[in-house]
Amino acid sequence: MRSIILRSATRYLFPIIILFSIFLLLRGHDEPGGGFIGGLLAATAFALYAIAYDVKSARAMLRADHITLIGVGLLLATGAGIISMLVGDPFLATQWVTLNVPGVADVKLGTPLLFDIGVYLVVVGVTLMLVFHLAEE
Amino acid sequence: MLLSVISGFVLACLAPWLQRVVGRGAGAVLATVPLGMFAYFLTFIGRIADGEVFHEQWTWAESLGVRLSFYLDGLSLLFALLITGIGTLIIFYAGTYLHGHEFRGRFFAWLIAFKAAMLGLVLADNIISMFIFWELTSITSYFLIGFDHHRKVARDSALQALLVTGGGGLALLAGLILMASVGGSMELSTLLNSGDVFREHALYVPILLLLLAGAFTKSAQFPFHFWLPNAMEAPTPVSAYLHSSTMVKAGIYLMARVSPAMGGTELWMILLSIFGGTTMVIGAYLAIQQVYLKRILAYSTISALGVLTFLLGLGASGAPGDAELSIYAAKAFGVFLLGHALYKATLFLVAGTITHETGEKDVTKLGGLSKAMPLTAIAGVLAALSMAGFPPFFGFLGKELLFEATLAQPSLVGVMTGATVITGILFVIVSCLVALRPFFGHAKETPKHAHEAPFPMWIGPALLAITGLLIGLLPAALGEPLIAPVVASVLGLDEPVELKLTLWHGINAALILGTIVLSVGVLAYFGHRYIMAVLGKVDFLLRIGPAMWYEKALAGMLDFASLQTRILQSGYLRMYLMLTVATTVGLVSYSLFQISEFSIIPEIPPTDQWGHLLYENLYTLIVAGLILTGTYGAVHSKSRLTAIAALGVVGYGVALLYIIFGAPDLAITQFLIETLTVILFVLVFYHLPEFPKISRPRERMRDLFVSVTAGVMMTIMVLLATGIEPREKVSDFHSAHSVDLGHGRNIVNVILVDFRAMDTLGEIVVLMISAIGVLALLKLKSRSKGEKV
Amino acid sequence: MEPVLAIVIGSLYAAGLYLMMRRNLVKLVIGLVLLSQAANLLIFTAAGLRSKHAPLVPPGEAQPVGDFADPLPQALILTAIVIGFGVIAFTLALFHRAYQVIGTDDLDEMRATDT
């Protein structure tokens, strides 16, 4: 599509959507959101970019290969499970640590976050792989 | 123990790679692992002989009672030693036997995987783990028999073995599960202590029959014996290992293992001694009619398995009163088991060496090889002497005890002793056939010029044969620590029994019988040609054997399958769909009519509340109308783009429903997915033609009827389901513990990444697979471009 | 509101199945999409529409307050939606490819390639 309006709008929208998707991913444990939703939203941003410009430049925006994204995502999700095995719990039993960031607040970090990031990456990778490949046909 | 089983599987995975790296010496390198295990199990002998047993346990699927648990007592120790010991020699042997073979790495992988599975089988305590290992031995055996996969005979024999033993395996599974439900435990070590519960239970007969079906097929008892001779299509090391000393004894192991719980009844004794007795006579009779070395040995193995079954039948028959009797038989069982494994593996390996070096497998065309290959000849002759039952070999002891056990029976002494005597005579003939004929007499021309086999190929048989001789010479010192705990396991005794194994029992009936058998056997060997001529006339009996029934059943099944395919698989997708839908609707409607207690007619609120209700649910009604309109549009539209747009309306409508009913996560997901779906559709449908109208009105009416019926049924189902108010919900736990256990306030997300994270992990894997599928579909094209597809 | 949703679900099933029994590839896929919507809604409704409040715990609380929707079917459906998308994409790619290779979108004409 060769629409100037769409292109300029996309240029500004794209980073905002990506940021928002990461926001949704991170807050997912407490409010609506999470890896699936965040991943889908990020994928939508790239799809929008592919429509406004073309698949090639959208791929360039992504930088990494889809397969790599999927692989890293699965690795993170499985790794989140294996961490608990190292502690002696069953596979995927969650582990939490509280980080005390002086002046801000106590930040709670846990393996579910890692797991959700894995889900996010897999969803982005898979969705974009589907969209890009079918678009290139 | 876990390590010894697991390491086997790991080694199996590494074997092809090792084979490539090490090359020629791969057999020797790989053999070190089972050798180490053999040494490890040797260290248990002393403690097991003192009456100790060992347990190890890992949880697997705890909620199902499935554990990975191991149990080591006298019986499993003897098997474990045979498996690892003979395994070491076989792997070493196979390295040279298959030297230069294209798929040597694959061969090692299967052989070692088999060894690990077999070890797991005899060590397993949990019945489900045992069953899994049992099936693994069948599967690895399938691949090993069909190793020369380019020959149809090999493939057919492999399939036959798999079908027969696999069918038995299913019966075994049923039997084991029944056993667990009756005994209230999944652990064999617990079940075996509740023998009286089993023997008096109403399900005793079905359990016994199912277990025996598994054992008889695996251990090639008549009438399921026919797969074993055909399994000789496997390379000789496999025959020596799987089909003489280990796998076929799995059935024997099973019977011996359960005999404390299931044995001791009249039915047990009758079934085992009749089947075992028949098998031992028929097997030996068929053996002397063969001319190919390996087939002679295969039939004699069947016969030996029959002997073992027969002895188990007698062995556990001991009611408390005749404990003496059952100890006789169990003692004979243990001695015969060990002796047979030693000499039969030797003979198979010797047969393999002969064929390998001369290129000839027909005994009638072999002779005078003792000069060319003296070491192999010595091993062969030693083993054959043991098999025939000459003193001072261990085989002599086995035969002696066999006679004693039958002579001591309270009833039917004549029949039983007669059968064992006939079997004994036939055994003598067999051992002469395989060890005298090829090595002595005048030399004959063979396809290859015979010379002594390389070291790895004679050391194995030689070691095994010498072990047989040594244990025979020193039975009390070497045999007793092994056999006494076996007797205790078979009889379910806590304390090992005193056996007093000696070569010389004084002059008694058994010794006289043994002497008669030996002399008649040797005489009969020299008259073998005449006997064969007589037997040749009744040869037709063989052809109507069970093998024919197997062939017929297999062909019939295939015919039935293709008939069914012709009828059901028309190739029209909508026919399949209609059949599925119609069947579902029919069955579900039938069961819905059976339910009378639920009402599907919703309560109609009084008319004065209608306005209020309408106001409250206005959004829902509007959205429902939107979805219905969209659905109608998707079905009815004439153009693709309209249909896609209508689909979008439905999707967004559903998302709105999710918002209304408190599912924001779902709504967001649905919105995003809908957007992406529409993009995909536009991308793909762009290339497809417009809808043509190709179905006839009558077809459309029929399809409409089927689909509307299905729709109505689903509506009723939903109404029924919503009418039920469960007292307790699974999700109550999730909601209550979302914050304190899951550290998250979005319960849906906590379920996804914490409570049910394993499921989510599975789902992202599925996603990945679908993406790879799409990639493969599109990549495939670029490769086949230009070719005619 | 269950009866209304039940009718919506029934209609989606009927429409989806009807479309899947057409001879045209595109209609088959559209039918598949409707069918997966129907299945998701079925799970959602069958679990009971007990509340219109989302299953979220208010900040500072240890347990959800008041009545709230059942979270478990939501978690199930969430993944089902995403998986459904993967299935649809796979189906599309498959049909796209089939159309290119066989040169028809008539399922009856693809029959010859089946056997």
Side-chain angles (χ1 to χ4, degrees):
Chain A
M1 238 180 272
R2 300 258 173 268
S3 152
I4 292 289
I5 300 175
L6 184 63
R7 286 193 174 187
S8 339
T10 304
R11 202 171 303 151
Y12 292 107
L13 274 175
F14 181 78
I16 298 176
I17 303 180
I18 295 290
L19 267 181
F20 188 60
S21 81
I22 294 173
F23 165 71
L24 278 180
L25 160 71
L26 293 179
R27 76 162 199 167
H29 215 50
D30 287 333
E31 303 288 339
F36 280 106
I37 291 173
L40 285 172
L41 191 63
T44 320
F46 281 99
L48 176 68
Y49 203 90
I51 290 172
Y53 292 84
D54 53 26
V55 174
K56 214 175 152 203
S57 34
R59 269 185 201 272
M61 284 300 285
L62 185 62
R63 289 199 176 86
D65 190 38
H66 321 124
I67 301 277
T68 321
L69 280 183
I70 299 175
V72 171
L74 272 181
L75 213 61
L76 281 182
T78 321
I82 291 177
I83 286 177
S84 45
M85 285 178 88
L86 296 180
V87 188
D89 285 343
F91 183 61
L92 280 173
T94 52
Q95 309 296 323
W96 289 89
V97 282
T98 310
L99 282 188
N100 198 326
V101 184
V104 188
D106 286 352
V107 180
K108 282 201 293 182
L109 285 179
T111 51
L113 181 64
L114 205 60
F115 188 85
D116 231 5
I117 295 174
V119 172
Y120 178 92
L121 289 178
V122 172
V123 171
V124 172
V126 168
T127 316
L128 287 182
M129 191 148 126
L130 299 176
V131 173
F132 286 173
H133 277 288
L134 283 169
E136 277 170 343
E137 278 298 301
Chain B
M1 283 187 261
L2 175 75
L3 196 68
S4 65
V5 175
I6 301 272
S7 67
F9 286 112
V10 173
L11 187 67
C13 298
L14 293 178
W17 172 78
L18 260 174
Q19 146 75 19
R20 226 172 300 138
V21 174
V22 185
R24 200 189 160 90
V29 175
L30 288 167
T32 52
V33 177
L35 182 64
M37 290 180 205
F38 181 66
Y40 168 72
F41 283 114
L42 277 180
T43 61
F44 282 97
I45 292 183
R47 281 176 286 168
I48 293 275
D50 291 339
E52 267 186 80
V53 289
F54 298 87
H55 283 275
E56 271 180 33
Q57 166 170 327
W58 281 263
T59 50
W60 193 348
E62 187 60 56
S63 48
L64 295 175
V66 180
R67 292 189 202 106
L68 200 58
S69 50
F70 296 108
Y71 177 67
L72 187 69
D73 68 348
L75 186 63
S76 19
L77 179 66
L78 178 60
F79 271 95
L81 284 172
L82 288 177
I83 292 162
T84 50
I86 298 183
T88 308
L89 299 174
I90 298 273
I91 293 170
F92 193 46
Y93 179 96
T96 309
Y97 184 84
L98 282 177
H99 177 64
H101 195 289
E102 192 184 351
F103 297 124
R104 200 164 71 135
R106 189 187 296 174
F107 176 81
F108 278 129
W110 287 121
L111 191 67
I112 294 170
F114 163 77
K115 184 196 63 90
M118 190 68 204
L119 201 55
L121 166 62
V122 298
L123 292 178
D125 190 5
N126 188 279
I127 54 173
I128 299 294
S129 339
M130 183 176 94
F131 173 75
I132 290 171
F133 287 122
W134 175 283
E135 291 293 30
L136 276 176
T137 62
S138 291
I139 292 167
T140 43
S141 148
Y142 167 77
F143 283 106
L144 285 167
I145 299 173
F147 181 64
D148 286 332
H149 54 82
H150 49 86
R151 286 187 305 128
K152 187 174 186 308
V153 193
R155 294 199 305 272
D156 287 348
S157 306
L159 184 65
Q160 188 182 50
L162 184 69
L163 287 179
V164 175
T165 55
L170 288 182
L172 172 70
L173 178 63
L176 287 175
I177 290 175
L178 281 181
M179 212 176 156
S181 71
V182 169
S185 168
M186 288 257 185
E187 305 296 309
L188 276 170
S189 48
T190 318
L191 290 175
L192 297 184
N193 288 329
S194 40
D196 293 331
V197 179
F198 287 107
R199 278 185 282 269
E200 277 148 34
H201 200 275
L203 284 174
Y204 173 76
V205 177
I207 294 177
L208 181 62
L209 292 180
L210 286 167
L211 291 181
L212 289 186
F216 283 179
T217 47
K218 193 89 168 176
S219 285
Q221 296 297 297
F222 184 83
F224 305 113
H225 64 281
F226 55 91
W227 69 266
L228 186 57
N230 292 337
M232 294 300 130
E233 290 299 331
T236 304
V238 174
S239 313
Y241 193 34
L242 274 69
H243 306 124
S244 76
S245 47
T246 53
M247 188 186 95
V248 288
K249 296 229 174 84
I252 304 292
Y253 168 79
L254 177 78
M255 290 187 275
R257 176 48 83 216
V258 299
S259 77
M262 305 296 296
T265 60
E266 211 153 85
L267 184 67
W268 167 277
M269 188 199 152
I270 291 173
L271 281 176
L272 263 68
S273 49
I274 287 183
F275 276 96
T278 316
T279 310
M280 75 184 181
V281 177
I282 289 189
Y285 166 75
L286 290 174
I288 62 159
Q289 304 199 348
Q290 308 298 319
V291 289
Y292 290 143
L293 273 173
K294 279 177 77 181
R295 289 185 84 87
I296 301 177
L297 291 173
Y299 279 108
S300 74
T301 304
I302 293 177
S303 174
L305 294 169
V307 172
L308 289 169
T309 310
F310 177 71
L311 284 172
L312 277 175
L314 304 184
S317 67
D322 38 353
E324 200 66 11
L325 261 184
S326 51
I327 289 181
Y328 261 137
K331 187 165 133 185
F333 168 80
V335 170
F336 195 89
L337 176 72
L338 178 58
H340 175 256
L342 291 175
Y343 68 68
K344 194 51 71 63
T346 314
L347 287 176
F348 262 110
L349 291 179
V350 167
T353 310
I354 294 176
T355 307
H356 192 256
E357 298 302 324
T358 63
E360 183 58 69
K361 51 186 176 176
D362 186 338
V363 274
T364 56
K365 293 179 186 153
L366 288 165
L369 287 173
S370 59
K371 284 197 197 71
M373 30 206 318
L375 294 166
T376 311
I378 292 173
V381 170
L382 289 181
L385 288 175
S386 184
M387 177 173 177
F390 277 100
F393 291 91
F394 199 47
F396 164 75
L397 208 60
K399 198 151 290 181
E400 207 76 338
L401 288 168
L402 174 63
F403 291 139
E404 276 185 27
T406 52
L407 284 171
Q409 287 305 310
S411 55
L412 291 175
V413 181
V415 180
M416 289 186 185
T417 314
T420 46
V421 166
I422 293 174
T423 312
I425 295 174
L426 294 170
F427 261 49
V428 178
I429 302 179
V430 168
S431 38
C432 293
L433 273 179
V434 292
L436 286 186
R437 188 155 289 180
F439 292 117
F440 302 102
H442 47 253
K444 290 178 183 168
E445 271 307 302
T446 51
K448 281 197 319 200
H449 184 68
H451 48 77
E452 185 54 85
F455 168 74
M457 286 179 64
W458 63 257
I459 182 67
L463 274 179
L464 288 170
I466 291 170
T467 315
L469 179 60
L470 279 180
I471 303 184
L473 285 172
L474 301 165
L478 298 176
E480 197 147 345
L482 277 174
I483 306 296
V486 173
V487 173
S489 304
V490 171
L491 299 177
L493 308 172
D494 293 332
E495 289 294 310
V497 273
E498 189 93 5
L499 288 186
K500 296 187 243 45
L501 291 178
T502 49
L503 271 181
W504 182 249
H505 293 241
I507 296 174
N508 57 13
L511 185 70
I512 296 168
L513 274 181
T515 321
I516 294 174
V517 163
L518 275 179
S519 20
V520 174
V522 173
L523 282 178
Y525 166 67
F526 288 109
H528 183 236
R529 206 181 311 156
Y530 308 106
I531 298 175
M532 285 297 285
V534 177
L535 290 179
K537 296 201 177 90
V538 286
D539 200 33
F540 65 92
L541 278 174
L542 282 180
R543 251 169 268 134
I544 54 164
M548 189 189 72
W549 293 107
Y550 166 82
E551 299 288 338
K552 285 212 165 142
L554 197 63
M557 205 151 68
L558 289 177
D559 285 346
F560 179 66
S562 53
L563 178 79
Q564 215 183 12
T565 313
R566 268 204 304 283
I567 294 173
L568 292 176
Q569 312 253 341
S570 56
Y572 294 106
L573 179 68
R574 55 207 152 89
M575 286 301 167
Y576 302 160
L577 204 64
M578 200 176 309
L579 211 63
T580 317
V581 172
T583 314
T584 315
V585 171
L587 290 175
V588 171
S589 314
Y590 174 74
S591 43
L592 283 187
F593 278 120
Q594 309 290 308
I595 303 173
S596 51
E597 51 202 298
F598 303 118
S599 155
I600 62 155
I601 297 156
E603 286 171 43
I604 296 180
T607 32
D608 55 330
Q609 286 183 19
W610 282 25
H612 176 69
L613 268 175
L614 187 68
Y615 174 74
E616 251 197 351
N617 296 307
L618 192 60
Y619 287 130
T620 316
L621 288 175
I622 293 173
V623 172
L626 198 68
I627 295 177
L628 289 179
T629 319
T631 313
Y632 180 77
V635 174
H636 221 67
S637 89
K638 300 275 179 295
S639 97
R640 294 165 312 185
L641 274 180
T642 328
I644 295 170
L647 213 54
V649 171
V650 174
Y652 287 128
V654 172
L656 288 173
L657 278 185
Y658 290 144
I659 291 190
I660 294 173
F661 290 101
D665 285 284
L666 284 191
I668 305 173
T669 315
Q670 179 71 46
F671 275 124
L672 290 168
I673 286 288
E674 208 48 51
T675 314
L676 287 166
T677 310
V678 169
I679 294 176
L680 278 192
F681 267 71
V682 174
L683 285 175
V684 172
F685 285 0
Y686 191 69
H687 302 278
L688 294 176
E690 285 286 335
F691 296 151
K693 203 160 201 165
I694 41 181
S695 47
R696 285 187 293 277
R698 246 191 67 199
E699 286 177 342
R700 264 178 289 164
M701 286 317 289
R702 181 195 58 194
D703 296 349
L704 198 64
F705 174 74
V706 173
S707 44
V708 167
T709 319
V712 169
M713 186 201 77
M714 292 315 289
T715 307
I716 296 174
M717 288 240 306
V718 175
L719 288 174
L720 267 177
T722 50
I724 304 166
E725 188 59 40
R727 242 171 279 142
E728 207 177 331
K729 286 194 171 186
V730 182
S731 57
D732 288 343
F733 171 83
H734 298 146
S735 312
H737 295 288
S738 175
V739 172
D740 61 346
L741 291 180
H743 298 264
R745 292 187 290 105
N746 181 359
I747 305 173
V748 176
N749 187 268
V750 173
I751 293 177
L752 280 175
V753 299
D754 190 340
F755 293 132
R756 310 292 313 167
M758 192 73 181
D759 298 349
T760 313
L761 192 62
E763 322 232 15
I764 55 179
V765 172
V766 172
L767 267 186
M768 178 194 70
I769 292 169
S770 81
I772 290 175
V774 171
L775 196 66
L777 278 171
L778 302 177
K779 274 262 163 79
L780 209 69
K781 195 191 85 193
S782 51
R783 208 187 307 143
S784 61
K785 217 172 234 169
E787 292 168 33
K788 236 185 141 119
V789 186
Chain C
M1 273 300 100
E2 282 87 351
V4 177
L5 261 74
I7 290 168
V8 169
I9 292 166
S11 316
L12 282 173
Y13 264 107
L17 288 173
Y18 177 75
L19 281 174
M20 285 180 79
M21 283 189 260
R22 301 299 85 216
R23 278 167 69 176
N24 184 281
L25 268 183
V26 176
K27 292 199 172 176
L28 174 62
V29 187
I30 295 178
L32 200 60
V33 176
L34 288 180
L35 206 66
S36 56
Q37 300 282 20
N40 290 341
L41 265 187
L42 172 76
I43 302 174
F44 192 66
T45 315
L49 306 170
R50 50 176 175 172
S51 166
K52 292 186 177 177
H53 297 286
L56 298 170
V57 183
E61 301 284 338
Q63 295 208 346
V65 180
D67 62 339
F68 58 97
D70 194 342
L72 191 59
Q74 295 193 16
L76 291 177
I77 297 167
L78 202 149
T79 48
I81 294 174
V82 183
I83 297 265
F85 175 71
V87 171
I88 299 289
F90 182 77
T91 320
L92 279 174
L94 185 67
F95 287 173
H96 181 64
R97 174 105 179 94
Y99 177 65
Q100 281 179 330
V101 173
I102 308 171
T104 176
D105 61 342
D106 183 354
L107 281 164
D108 283 12
E109 280 174 40
M110 291 188 176
R111 200 185 150 227
T113 59
D114 193 35
T115 48

